[in-house]
Coordinates of all heavy atoms in Angstrom, one line a residue:
D1 N 25.8 -9.2 30.2 CA 24.7 -8.9 30.9 C 23.4 -9.8 30.5 O 23.2 -9.8 29.2 CB 24.3 -7.4 31.0 CG 25.5 -6.6 31.3 OD1 25.6 -6.5 32.7 OD2 26.2 -6.1 30.6
R2 N 22.7 -10.3 31.4 CA 21.5 -11.0 31.0 C 20.3 -10.3 30.5 O 19.6 -10.7 29.7 CB 21.0 -11.9 32.3 CG 21.9 -13.1 32.6 CD 21.2 -13.9 33.6 NE 22.1 -15.1 33.8 CZ 22.0 -16.3 33.0 NH1 21.3 -16.3 31.9 NH2 22.8 -17.3 33.1
A3 N 20.3 -9.1 31.0 CA 19.2 -8.1 30.6 C 19.8 -7.0 29.8 O 20.9 -6.4 30.0 CB 18.6 -7.4 31.8
Q4 N 19.1 -6.8 28.6 CA 19.7 -5.8 27.6 C 18.4 -4.9 27.1 O 17.3 -5.5 27.2 CB 20.4 -6.4 26.5 CG 21.7 -7.2 26.9 CD 22.4 -7.7 25.7 OE1 22.2 -7.4 24.5 NE2 23.4 -8.7 26.0
F5 N 18.7 -3.7 26.6 CA 17.7 -3.0 26.0 C 18.0 -2.1 24.9 O 19.3 -1.9 24.8 CB 17.1 -2.0 27.2 CG 18.1 -1.0 27.7 CD1 18.3 0.3 27.1 CD2 18.9 -1.3 28.8 CE1 19.1 1.1 27.6 CE2 19.8 -0.5 29.3 CZ 19.9 0.8 28.7
D6 N 17.2 -1.7 24.1 CA 17.5 -0.8 23.0 C 16.4 0.1 22.7 O 15.1 -0.2 23.1 CB 17.9 -1.5 21.7 CG 16.7 -2.4 21.2 OD1 16.5 -3.5 21.7 OD2 16.1 -2.0 20.2
Y7 N 16.6 1.3 22.0 CA 15.5 2.2 21.8 C 15.9 3.1 20.6 O 17.1 3.1 20.1 CB 15.4 3.1 23.0 CG 16.6 3.9 23.4 CD1 17.1 5.0 22.8 CD2 17.6 3.2 24.4 CE1 18.2 5.6 23.2 CE2 18.8 3.8 24.7 CZ 19.1 5.0 24.2 OH 20.3 5.6 24.6
S8 N 15.0 3.8 20.0 CA 15.1 4.8 19.0 C 13.9 5.7 18.9 O 12.8 5.3 19.2 CB 15.4 4.1 17.6 OG 14.2 3.5 17.2
L9 N 14.3 6.9 18.5 CA 13.3 8.1 18.2 C 13.7 8.7 17.0 O 14.8 8.9 16.7 CB 13.3 9.0 19.4 CG 12.9 8.6 20.8 CD1 13.2 9.8 21.8 CD2 11.4 8.2 20.8
G10 N 12.7 8.8 16.0 CA 13.0 9.3 14.8 C 11.9 10.0 14.1 O 10.8 10.0 14.5
V11 N 12.3 10.5 12.9 CA 11.3 11.4 12.0 C 11.5 10.8 10.7 O 12.6 10.5 10.3 CB 11.4 12.8 12.2 CG1 12.8 13.3 11.8 CG2 10.3 13.5 11.3
A12 N 10.4 10.5 9.9 CA 10.5 10.0 8.6 C 9.6 11.0 7.7 O 8.6 11.5 8.0 CB 10.0 8.6 8.5
R13 N 10.2 11.0 6.4 CA 9.5 11.9 5.4 C 9.4 11.1 4.1 O 10.5 10.6 3.7 CB 10.2 13.1 5.3 CG 9.8 14.0 4.0 CD 8.3 14.5 4.1 NE 8.1 15.5 3.1 CZ 6.9 15.9 2.8 NH1 5.8 15.3 3.2 NH2 6.8 16.8 1.7
R14 N 8.3 11.0 3.6 CA 8.3 10.3 2.2 C 8.2 11.3 1.1 O 7.4 12.2 1.1 CB 7.0 9.4 2.1 CG 6.9 8.5 0.8 CD 5.9 7.6 0.8 NE 6.2 6.6 1.7 CZ 7.0 5.5 1.4 NH1 7.5 5.4 0.2 NH2 7.2 4.5 2.1
I15 N 9.0 11.1 0.1 CA 9.2 12.0 -1.0 C 9.2 11.3 -2.3 O 10.2 10.5 -2.6 CB 10.5 12.9 -0.9 CG1 10.7 13.6 0.5 CG2 10.6 13.9 -1.9 CD1 12.0 14.2 0.6
G16 N 8.0 11.1 -2.8 CA 7.9 10.2 -4.0 C 8.1 8.8 -3.6 O 7.4 8.4 -2.7
R17 N 9.1 8.2 -4.2 CA 9.2 6.7 -3.9 C 10.3 6.6 -2.8 O 10.6 5.4 -2.4 CB 9.6 6.0 -5.2 CG 8.6 5.9 -6.2 CD 9.1 5.2 -7.4 NE 9.6 3.8 -7.2 CZ 10.4 3.2 -8.1 NH1 10.8 3.8 -9.3 NH2 10.7 1.9 -7.8
I18 N 10.9 7.7 -2.3 CA 12.0 7.6 -1.4 C 11.4 7.9 0.1 O 10.6 8.8 0.3 CB 13.0 8.7 -1.7 CG1 13.6 8.5 -3.1 CG2 14.1 8.7 -0.5 CD1 14.4 7.2 -3.3
D19 N 11.8 7.0 1.0 CA 11.5 7.2 2.3 C 12.7 7.5 3.1 O 13.7 6.7 3.1 CB 10.8 6.0 3.0 CG 10.1 6.3 4.4 OD1 9.2 7.0 4.4 OD2 10.8 5.8 5.3
A20 N 12.8 8.8 3.7 CA 14.1 9.1 4.4 C 13.7 9.3 5.9 O 12.6 9.6 6.2 CB 14.4 10.6 4.0
Q21 N 14.6 8.8 6.6 CA 14.5 8.7 8.1 C 15.8 9.3 8.9 O 16.9 8.9 8.6 CB 14.3 7.2 8.6 CG 12.8 6.7 8.1 CD 12.6 5.4 8.8 OE1 13.0 5.0 9.9 NE2 11.7 4.6 8.2
L22 N 15.5 10.1 10.0 CA 16.5 10.5 10.7 C 16.2 10.1 12.2 O 15.1 10.2 12.6 CB 16.6 12.1 10.8 CG 17.7 12.7 11.7 CD1 19.0 12.5 11.3 CD2 17.4 14.2 11.7
A23 N 17.2 9.4 12.9 CA 16.8 8.7 14.2 C 18.0 8.9 15.1 O 19.1 8.9 14.7 CB 16.5 7.2 13.9
W24 N 17.6 8.9 16.4 CA 18.6 8.7 17.6 C 18.3 7.5 18.1 O 17.3 7.0 18.4 CB 18.3 9.8 18.5 CG 19.1 9.7 19.7 CD1 20.5 9.8 19.9 CD2 18.6 9.6 21.1 NE1 20.9 9.5 21.2 CE2 19.8 9.4 21.9 CE3 17.3 9.6 21.6 CZ2 19.7 9.4 23.3 CZ3 17.4 9.4 23.0 CH2 18.4 9.2 23.8
T25 N 19.3 6.6 18.2 CA 19.3 5.3 18.6 C 20.4 4.9 19.6 O 21.4 5.6 19.6 CB 19.3 4.3 17.4 OG1 19.3 3.0 17.8 CG2 20.7 4.4 16.6
G26 N 20.0 4.0 20.4 CA 21.0 3.5 21.5 C 20.5 2.2 22.1 O 19.5 1.6 21.8
G27 N 21.3 1.9 23.1 CA 21.0 0.6 23.8 C 22.0 0.4 25.0 O 22.9 1.3 25.2
G28 N 21.8 -0.6 25.8 CA 22.7 -0.9 26.8 C 22.4 -2.3 27.5 O 21.5 -2.9 27.0
P29 N 23.0 -2.6 28.6 CA 24.2 -1.8 29.2 C 25.6 -2.0 28.3 O 25.5 -2.8 27.5 CB 24.3 -2.4 30.6 CG 23.9 -3.7 30.5 CD 22.8 -3.8 29.4
G30 N 26.5 -1.2 28.8 CA 27.8 -1.4 28.2 C 27.9 -0.5 26.9 O 27.1 0.4 26.6
T31 N 29.1 -0.7 26.3 CA 29.4 0.1 25.1 C 29.8 -0.8 24.0 O 29.9 -2.2 24.1 CB 30.7 0.8 25.3 OG1 31.8 0.0 25.7 CG2 30.4 1.9 26.4
D32 N 29.8 -0.4 22.7 CA 30.3 -1.1 21.5 C 31.9 -1.0 21.6 O 32.4 -0.1 22.1 CB 29.8 -0.6 20.3 CG 28.5 -1.2 19.8 OD1 28.1 -2.2 20.3 OD2 27.9 -0.6 19.0
V33 N 32.5 -2.0 20.9 CA 33.9 -2.0 20.7 C 34.1 -2.3 19.3 O 33.9 -3.4 18.8 CB 34.6 -3.1 21.6 CG1 36.2 -2.9 21.3 CG2 34.5 -2.7 23.1
Y34 N 34.6 -1.3 18.5 CA 35.0 -1.6 17.1 C 36.2 -0.7 16.7 O 36.3 0.4 17.2 CB 33.8 -1.5 16.2 CG 33.1 -0.2 16.3 CD1 33.4 0.9 15.5 CD2 31.9 -0.2 17.0 CE1 32.5 2.1 15.5 CE2 31.2 1.0 17.1 CZ 31.5 2.1 16.3 OH 30.7 3.1 16.4
R35 N 36.9 -1.2 15.8 CA 38.2 -0.4 15.3 C 39.0 -0.1 16.5 O 39.6 0.9 16.4 CB 37.7 0.8 14.5 CG 37.3 0.6 13.1 CD 37.0 1.9 12.3 NE 35.7 2.3 12.5 CZ 35.2 3.5 12.2 NH1 35.9 4.4 11.7 NH2 33.9 3.8 12.4
G36 N 39.1 -1.2 17.3 CA 40.1 -1.0 18.4 C 39.7 -0.2 19.6 O 40.4 0.2 20.5
R37 N 38.4 0.4 19.5 CA 38.1 1.4 20.6 C 36.7 1.1 21.2 O 35.9 0.7 20.4 CB 38.1 2.9 20.1 CG 39.5 3.3 19.6 CD 39.3 4.7 18.9 NE 38.7 5.7 19.8 CZ 38.2 6.9 19.4 NH1 38.5 7.2 18.1 NH2 37.5 7.6 20.1
A38 N 36.4 1.4 22.4 CA 35.2 1.4 23.0 C 34.4 2.6 22.6 O 34.9 3.8 22.6 CB 35.3 1.3 24.5
R39 N 33.2 2.4 22.2 CA 32.4 3.5 21.6 C 30.9 3.4 22.2 O 30.4 2.4 22.6 CB 32.3 3.4 20.1 CG 33.7 3.5 19.4 CD 33.5 3.2 18.0 NE 34.8 3.3 17.4 CZ 35.6 4.4 16.8 NH1 34.9 5.5 16.9 NH2 36.7 4.3 16.3
S40 N 30.3 4.6 22.3 CA 29.0 4.7 22.9 C 28.1 4.0 22.0 O 28.1 3.9 20.8 CB 28.6 6.2 23.0 OG 27.3 6.4 23.3
R41 N 27.0 3.4 22.8 CA 25.8 2.7 21.9 C 24.9 3.7 21.4 O 24.1 3.2 20.6 CB 25.2 1.8 23.0 CG 26.0 0.7 23.6 CD 26.0 -0.5 22.6 NE 24.7 -1.1 22.5 CZ 24.3 -2.0 23.3 NH1 24.9 -2.4 24.5 NH2 23.1 -2.6 23.0
Q42 N 24.9 5.0 21.7 CA 24.1 5.9 21.1 C 24.7 6.4 19.8 O 25.9 6.6 19.6 CB 23.9 7.1 22.1 CG 23.2 6.7 23.4 CD 23.1 7.9 24.3 OE1 23.6 9.1 24.1 NE2 22.4 7.6 25.4
A43 N 23.7 6.7 18.8 CA 24.2 7.3 17.6 C 23.1 8.0 16.9 O 21.8 7.7 17.2 CB 24.7 6.1 16.7
V44 N 23.3 8.8 15.9 CA 22.4 9.5 15.1 C 22.6 8.9 13.7 O 23.7 8.8 13.2 CB 22.6 10.9 15.1 CG1 21.7 11.7 14.0 CG2 22.4 11.7 16.4
T45 N 21.5 8.4 13.2 CA 21.6 7.7 11.9 C 20.6 8.4 10.9 O 19.6 8.9 11.3 CB 21.1 6.2 12.0 OG1 19.7 6.1 12.4 CG2 22.0 5.5 12.9
L46 N 21.0 8.4 9.6 CA 20.3 8.8 8.5 C 20.2 7.8 7.5 O 21.2 7.2 7.1 CB 21.0 10.2 7.9 CG 20.3 10.8 6.7 CD1 18.9 11.3 7.1 CD2 21.1 11.9 6.1

């Protein structure tokens, strides 16, 4: 596809020297393909 997009929404907390982030991320169009399977572009990351 000639046009693609991505996005993420998250929350971050700094604790001393550590910065922790929890995010919901995704993109399109289409899906990812890895380990032999088509997979959603959406994911929750820590």
Side-chain angles (χ1 to χ4, degrees):
D1 300 277
R2 286 194 175 276
Q4 301 183 11
F5 63 90
D6 64 279
Y7 56 85
S8 67
L9 295 172
V11 58
R13 168 67 168 161
R14 182 168 292 279
I15 307 171
R17 297 174 59 195
I18 302 294
D19 190 71
Q21 294 190 21
L22 177 67
W24 174 60
T25 179
T31 60
D32 269 341
V33 178
Y34 53 88
R35 281 183 276 168
R37 294 175 53 190
R39 300 176 184 268
S40 170
R41 295 279 293 275
Q42 297 181 354
V44 175
T45 62
L46 179 63

